[in-house]
Amino acid sequence: MSFNVNAFLEKVTPPPIHTFLGGKVEKVEQDNGWKAVISYQPRPEFANPMGHVQGGMLCSILDDAMGLFAIIAQEGTPSATITMNVSFLRPCNIAPVEVEVYFIRQGRRISNIESVAYQNGKEVGKASAAFTVV
């Protein structure tokens, strides 16, 4: 029996942080390797003194996207971040953010995942992380 991603997404309750960050799973692909697109709507209170999304909040968005992706791609098995490296590439405005997520390597216990955050078609941040099945 194959894993039905859509059925899983319909029944799963997203974690509270996903809702707080304004997250929404837009697309999950299983063909030619797992990939996903998850959109976020940053809240005004995420702003730093310059009016951009504070770096820690962008980090949370990238981590949330990869964590949700890890659970989906592990067919519902919970996973946890064990390491994460983030690069901030340009200011991120308080406006919609689209995150693309994909595997670098998918193991039985440890998976290496990357995510790239885009705003208006330009990269604003990038993260790579390792996740373990819990």
Side-chain angles (χ1 to χ4, degrees):
M1 188 165 140
S2 68
F3 179 66
N4 184 325
V5 173
N6 292 327
F8 174 75
L9 291 172
E10 286 177 13
K11 75 174 185 162
V12 71
T13 301
I17 188 67
H18 181 74
T19 304
F20 179 73
L21 294 170
K24 180 181 179 213
V25 177
E26 300 290 346
K27 176 172 60 172
V28 177
E29 297 177 4
Q30 293 173 270
D31 302 329
N32 300 321
W34 286 88
K35 293 180 185 172
V37 175
I38 303 172
S39 65
Y40 292 86
Q41 177 56 63
R43 299 159 57 122
E45 54 266 36
F46 294 1
N48 62 22
M50 295 175 290
H52 299 112
V53 174
Q54 192 269 344
M57 298 309 295
L58 184 57
C59 186
S60 294
I61 286 170
L62 292 164
D63 185 43
D64 180 73
M66 291 185 292
L68 189 55
F69 174 75
I71 292 168
I72 293 167
Q74 296 286 1
E75 300 185 356
T77 303
S79 296
T81 311
I82 54 176
T83 64
M84 185 171 165
N85 184 20
V86 179
S87 297
F88 303 104
L89 305 173
R90 62 175 33 92
C92 181
N93 297 311
I94 304 295
V97 175
E98 184 172 275
V99 179
E100 293 181 0
V101 190
Y102 50 89
F103 281 111
I104 298 301
R105 178 186 163 278
Q106 183 179 13
R108 286 189 318 241
R109 302 261 332 135
I110 305 286
S111 294
N112 300 91
I113 300 172
E114 282 192 355
S115 61
V116 181
Y118 295 91
Q119 204 167 55
N120 300 319
K122 295 181 180 178
E123 292 183 1
V124 294
K126 188 178 225 177
S128 58
F131 285 79
T132 186
V133 173
V134 291

